[in-house]
Amino acid sequence: GQQLNQSPQSMFIQEGEDVSMNCTSSSIFNTWLWYKQDPGEGPVLLIALYKAGELTSNGRLTAQFGITRKDSFLNISASIPSDVGIYFCAGRISSDMRFGAGTRLTVKP
Amino acid sequence: DAGVTQSPTHLIKTRGQQVTLRCSPKSGHDTVSWYQQALGQGPQFIFQYYEEEERQRGNFPDRFSGHQFPNYSSELNVNALLLGDSALYLCASSLGISSYNEQFFGPGTRLTVL
C-alpha cells in the first residue's frame, strides 16, 4: 500500500543536539500525526495536528502541519538518551491512516 | 485502567494454514483498527470495525477478515497463509470512527510464517 515519504531513514546524533525529520505525500490529509515506537511495543502518539499551517509543541517536541496538507515535520530539541527509538509520521483521512517508513534515531551520550 | 491488549504475543505457522489474532480495546473504546507492520516498515491499515461491522478497508486481499464482538473486542483472521504475511500485527482502539479521535495501539502479535 501507498506510504508516506519520510526522511531521513536514520540519524545518529550526540546528546543535547536538535533533531529534525519530515514527511511528504502526494495525497492530502485531514490530520497529521507523529508516533514513537520502542522495541516490542506499539506506536505511541507524540503529537497530533488537525489544521493546515498548525504548529504544535509537546515539551521538547514541535511539529507542523504543512500549508499544502501534504507534508509535516517534527523537531526534537536538546535530545536525551531516552529519545532513542523509531519515529513515524502518519497522515489520516477518515479511518485510513497511512504511515511513513520511520526514522530510526540513535542518541550517543 | 487496561490499555489495548493483544494475544498471542508470538505465533509461528506454516504456509497454507489459518490464523486468528485477538484484540481487546482500551476501556471505554468502541472502535478497533488492525494494521500489518512488516520488518523495517511503518504499519499498513488493514481494516476498521465499529458497531460490529467492517467500516473501512485498506488494500488487503479477502484472505484477511475480521470480526467485532458485542463487548467491542475483535479478531483478525488470515486464511491460506503466505510467507509474506510474516509481520507484526497491531491493533488500535479509539472512541468512535472520526479521523480526529486518537488511536491507542497494543503491543502487537508477531506472526512468523514458515
Side-chain angles (χ1 to χ4, degrees), chain A residues 1-3 30-31 35 37 40-45 50 88 92-102, chain B residues 33 35 37 40-45 48 55-56 59 88 90 94 97-103 105-107:
Chain A
Q2 176 192 352
Q3 286 195 325
N30 292 336
T31 306
Y35 288 87
Q37 186 173 25
E41 304 287 333
V44 174
L45 182 66
Y50 302 108
F88 291 99
R92 192 171 175 190
I93 188 158
S94 68
S95 304
D96 191 352
M97 187 153 60
R98 306 289 177 94
F99 283 80
Chain B
S33 302
Y35 295 82
Q37 186 176 21
Q41 298 295 318
Q44 289 194 43
F45 174 71
Q48 183 183 71
R55 295 292 173 162
Q56 191 160 350
N59 188 25
L88 180 69
L90 294 163
S94 60
I97 60 174
S98 168
S99 62
Y100 298 104
N101 295 342
E102 181 179 349
Q103 292 188 0
F105 284 84

Side-chain angles (χ1 to χ4, degrees), chain B residues 28-102:
Chain B
H29 285 183
D30 57 6
T31 303
V32 173
S33 302
W34 287 92
Y35 295 82
Q36 180 194 66
Q37 186 176 21
L39 200 60
Q41 298 295 318
Q44 289 194 43
F45 174 71
I46 302 175
F47 43 52
Q48 183 183 71
Y49 276 83
Y50 174 69
E51 292 185 335
E52 301 180 49
E53 289 187 7
E54 182 183 298
R55 295 292 173 162
Q56 191 160 350
R57 188 179 184 94
N59 188 25
F60 280 80
D62 292 345
R63 297 187 298 110
F64 289 77
S65 63
H67 188 77
Q68 186 178 34
F69 299 93
N71 67 352
Y72 308 121
S73 66
S74 176
E75 288 182 350
L76 165 66
N77 300 294
V78 187
N79 294 323
L81 284 166
L82 304 174
L83 295 179
D85 294 331
S86 295
L88 180 69
Y89 287 85
L90 294 163
C91 166
S93 74
S94 60
L95 180 60
I97 60 174
S98 168
S99 62
Y100 298 104
N101 295 342
E102 181 179 349

Side-chain angles (χ1 to χ4, degrees), chain A residues 75-98:
Chain A
N75 288 336
I76 305 173
S77 63
S79 59
I80 59 178
S82 63
D83 290 334
V84 164
I86 303 177
Y87 292 78
F88 291 99
C89 63
R92 192 171 175 190
I93 188 158
S94 68
S95 304
D96 191 352
M97 187 153 60
R98 306 289 177 94

